[in-house]
Amino acid sequence: MGQTASLPTTASTKPAEAASGCPVSHKNPDTSPATCPVAHDAPPNPAKCPIDHGGLNPLNQMPELAQTPAPNQRIQLPTERTESSIPRDGTSKWDYPSPQQFYNALVRKGWETPEEHVETMVDIHNFLNERAWIEVLKWEKREYTHDDIQLARLRGRPGELSPKARFWMFAGWLLPSRFNTEPPFDRHDWIVRRPRTGEEVRYVIDYYEAPAELDGSPVFSLDVRPALDSFSSVKQRIAVATEEVWADFRNNQKPDRTVTEPK
């Protein structure tokens, strides 16, 4: 239930790179190498994100990104920021980076990105964030009955494989014909606050690039789940995994009621 969501994304312009998601300035992936265009001091591998998640303003948990054009920038990029649907506290929501801020982050990290693709990359970045939040809410409804959930803070951890991602990588190594052999192109840890109880729950989000659609549109898969660092989260993960196994078993046990008409 909500652990993995495959998300087709259609873009009018095919981006040279795309970005994954996080309600702070972040990234969007592309149909070839699975990469995150905004970098978090990742180890040397393709999974990167050009926005530095370490340099956040302590007042709003947002990186300080310039809205002025970068040197040698050829086209004017929008500076308007889009408000997300993700609550940051009781009165405000997270804002996404403007295309200009996003591009400045890419330039600062040395990423060569065609300026005409930046707006598409930002759209993908925002789309992935919104889908990740929907999956978080699905999990939260199992444990918390109120609708005032907030995203308190987050951390980008590209290049740092979660235990579950390592397991699936090992499965892919053993059975490459059955399991995916590509690692997630990014990872985020989101800290969700439950205001009525004061609890904070850590969620792990692995971002994967799935096979593109027939028309070449990129498809992304998000694996969203509570981290196994509390008894409640462990119990919830076991319950959901059990439900999924039984659902698959029941579907496989259904008799084939197809009737072949005599010729």
Side-chain angles (χ1 to χ4, degrees):
M1 192 279 307
Q3 288 204 59
T4 303
S6 294
L7 312 169
T9 303
T10 303
S12 56
T13 305
K14 188 175 179 181
E17 295 174 333
S20 84
C22 112
V24 180
S25 342
H26 220 109
K27 68 166 178 344
N28 284 286
D30 128 51
T31 56
S32 44
T35 53
C36 162
V38 198
H40 327 222
D41 298 322
N45 68 41
K48 292 184 181 178
C49 169
I51 292 184
D52 180 6
H53 287 256
L56 300 180
N57 184 324
L59 298 178
N60 60 11
Q61 292 295 298
M62 296 290 289
E64 300 292 345
L65 297 173
Q67 291 277 29
T68 53
N72 304 317
Q73 183 175 324
R74 296 178 293 102
I75 65 176
Q76 194 75 21
L77 292 172
T79 57
E80 294 78 16
R81 300 182 69 163
T82 302
E83 184 181 73
S84 77
S85 67
I86 305 171
R88 185 173 59 187
D89 52 38
T91 60
S92 62
K93 297 179 179 178
W94 289 90
D95 288 330
Y96 293 124
S98 70
Q100 183 63 65
Q101 289 177 310
F102 198 91
Y103 181 69
N104 286 342
L106 296 173
V107 170
R108 185 178 61 184
K109 295 299 179 181
W111 287 72
E112 295 184 7
T113 306
E115 297 160 31
E116 60 272 18
H117 295 329
V118 171
E119 291 187 63
T120 298
M121 294 168 64
V122 171
D123 287 342
I124 297 174
H125 163 266
N126 298 354
F127 170 78
L128 290 176
N129 280 318
E130 296 293 328
R131 297 301 305 181
W133 184 244
I134 289 172
E135 296 303 311
V136 166
L137 293 180
K138 288 179 182 178
W139 282 100
E140 282 295 299
K141 285 179 180 178
R142 300 176 65 92
E143 296 290 318
Y144 185 75
T145 59
H146 307 285
D147 58 0
D148 56 354
I149 297 293
Q150 301 161 4
L151 177 58
R153 57 193 180 277
L154 56 137
R155 180 186 174 194
R157 303 174 70 177
E160 195 173 335
L161 293 179
S162 65
K164 186 175 181 181
R166 290 182 185 277
F167 171 81
W168 289 119
M169 286 289 294
F170 180 70
W173 176 73
L174 285 178
L175 300 169
S177 61
R178 183 172 179 183
F179 298 103
N180 181 29
T181 58
E182 291 297 322
F185 62 77
D186 199 14
R187 170 189 171 180
H188 291 170
D189 284 10
W190 288 10
I191 308 300
V192 169
R193 182 190 299 118
R194 299 171 179 172
R196 304 291 181 97
T197 64
E199 295 174 275
E200 290 191 343
V201 182
R202 181 169 66 96
Y203 279 83
V204 179
I205 306 172
D206 287 325
Y207 297 82
Y208 292 89
E209 185 176 34
E213 295 188 324
L214 294 178
D215 62 359
S217 298
V219 178
F220 306 102
S221 177
L222 307 182
D223 190 354
V224 182
R225 69 275 186 195
L228 297 176
D229 50 13
S230 72
F231 176 75
S232 175
S233 293
V234 171
K235 181 180 69 173
Q236 195 177 3
R237 290 273 296 273
I238 292 173
V240 169
T242 303
E243 289 171 8
E244 292 176 344
V245 168
W246 277 110
D248 289 342
F249 176 78
R250 286 194 299 269
N251 288 335
N252 291 334
Q253 294 302 308
K254 287 182 179 178
D256 184 0
R257 300 184 183 280
T258 304
V259 177
T260 304
E261 295 292 337
K263 295 184 179 180

